[in-house]
Each structure stands twice: as C-alpha cells, then as structure tokens.
Amino acid sequence: MKLLQAVNQYVRYKQAIGMRFGNDASGLTTFCRALGPNVSLNRITAAQVQAFLDGSGEPTRTWARRYWGLVGFNRYIVGHGYTTGLPLPLHQPHYSRTFVPYVLKCDEFRRLLKAVPHCCKRRSLQPRTARTVLLLLYGTGLRVGEAAALTLNDVNLTAALLTVRRTKFYKTRLVPLGPQLRGIMRGYFN
C-alpha cells in the first residue's frame, strides 16, 4: 500500500469515529510530503523517519508531537495488515523547553493595567475592553483563545459564572467569577 493512500484512510477512520484529528492529520500530510506520497509503506526507512522527526534544528515538542502521530498511524497500518511496522526510533531525544511560565506579581499586574491606555492609543481595541480582558484572564485563568471566543450568552453575572465552550479537548466548562471580577464585568456591560 502507498503512504498517501494509508494516511487518507487513517484520517477518514479517525474522523468517522468522531475525532477532529486536525493536528495529527496535518503532521501525517507533512510526513507524506517529506517522503513522497507514492512511497510504499514497506519501503520507508529508519533514516527517512528520523529525518522527518528531527526536522531542522534542536529537538522540541514538535518532535514528540510528530512521533506520537506516527505511533498512532503505525498501530493502524500494522493492525490492518498493511505492513509489519514503521521503523520508529526506540528513544525520544531530550529536548529543552523554550517556554518558561511567569506569573505576574500584584504590583507588576497593576503597572500593566496602568499602561493599557498608552498601549491602546493606535490600536482598534478600546482601553476599557483591553483592561477588562486582562482582568478576566488574570482573575479566571482562561486561555486567550477561550476569552476571545466568549459571547454575551456565555456570561451569567447573576450566577457569577462563565460558560467556556469547546475548550481544550473540546469540552465545555463553567468558570466562577469572584466578587471583584463580577463587579468589573458588570461595570463593563453597563
């Protein structure tokens, strides 16, 4: 069986069982482009797999994402008898983490809020909106994309709850608002 044919079949299968499967599908499409869509599954070499995983530069989380995408694909093609398996590496490289989280201290956050009107002068975002969004992110721990996706129907100030829909892992959750943040949100909507 050819690589592209197997990848298309695997993606259709994953989507048919209800998975969105966008990131892994994209990774497997990149794998097809790197090796050539017409390569036979039995002719894929360890060097080709390793070159795809390594990409260019130092190993990062992308290496692991690609690897686990290939592991799932490998299970599928072996399970269906298309090949005896891809020559996957036995060990993951040690990669350095480039992102180091930082939690702002209260005085740093106050200075950030103070700077909002100056930062929004030439932007389409109103300072009042920017300030409210920053307070919402800081006070609830929402992700930026989650806050941006909120609608008026998702905000229940009476119950002091936000409904955050289709979050990571495609779930919906309720996020409580503290009394101060609830007051700020009420002031924003009035």
Side-chain angles (χ1 to χ4, degrees):
M1 177 174 265
K2 303 292 182 193
L3 177 60
L4 181 61
Q5 182 184 3
V7 165
N8 287 339
Q9 192 174 333
Y10 177 59
V11 170
R12 280 194 306 273
Y13 163 73
K14 286 297 205 178
Q15 291 172 340
I17 62 171
M19 294 181 73
R20 289 192 183 181
F21 208 65
N23 291 339
D24 283 336
S26 176
L28 290 170
T29 301
T30 304
F31 183 60
C32 280
R33 254 185 271 129
L35 273 63
N38 293 323
V39 67
S40 173
L41 291 174
N42 294 323
R43 299 230 180 241
I44 296 173
T45 66
Q48 289 173 310
V49 171
Q50 192 68 52
F52 168 72
L53 291 172
D54 290 345
S56 58
E58 293 292 313
T60 63
R61 286 288 297 158
T62 301
W63 193 100
R65 237 179 281 128
R66 286 179 172 184
Y67 175 79
W68 289 109
L70 287 178
V71 167
F73 175 62
N74 190 52
R75 269 192 235 117
Y76 178 83
I77 59 177
V78 170
H80 282 76
Y82 299 144
T83 184
T84 56
L86 295 175
L88 296 172
L90 298 176
H91 303 287
Q92 292 186 38
H94 184 71
Y95 46 88
S96 61
R97 298 185 185 266
T98 55
F99 175 73
V100 179
Y102 180 80
V103 178
L104 295 172
K105 296 176 184 73
C106 287
D107 63 314
E108 292 172 319
F109 190 67
R110 279 189 205 102
R111 287 197 315 262
L112 176 64
L113 289 176
K114 228 175 174 178
V116 166
H118 306 291
C119 296
C120 292
K121 279 184 180 174
R122 295 188 185 131
R123 301 216 168 38
S124 60
L125 189 63
Q126 296 294 319
R128 183 171 169 235
T129 302
R131 183 178 191 283
T132 304
V133 169
L134 285 172
L135 287 165
L136 181 67
L137 293 170
Y138 193 76
T140 61
L142 291 179
R143 296 175 184 91
V144 173
E146 292 172 342
L150 287 173
T151 66
L152 287 174
N153 292 333
D154 297 328
V155 181
N156 183 341
L157 294 177
T158 307
L161 284 174
L162 297 177
T163 303
V164 185
R165 301 176 195 285
R166 294 172 300 280
T167 65
K168 194 171 185 180
F169 307 115
Y170 317 109
K171 305 226 176 178
T172 297
R173 71 180 194 278
L174 297 175
V175 178
L177 296 173
Q180 287 180 307
L181 185 55
R182 180 182 179 189
I184 289 166
M185 297 292 288
R186 186 168 275 136
Y188 179 75
F189 288 117
N190 291 331

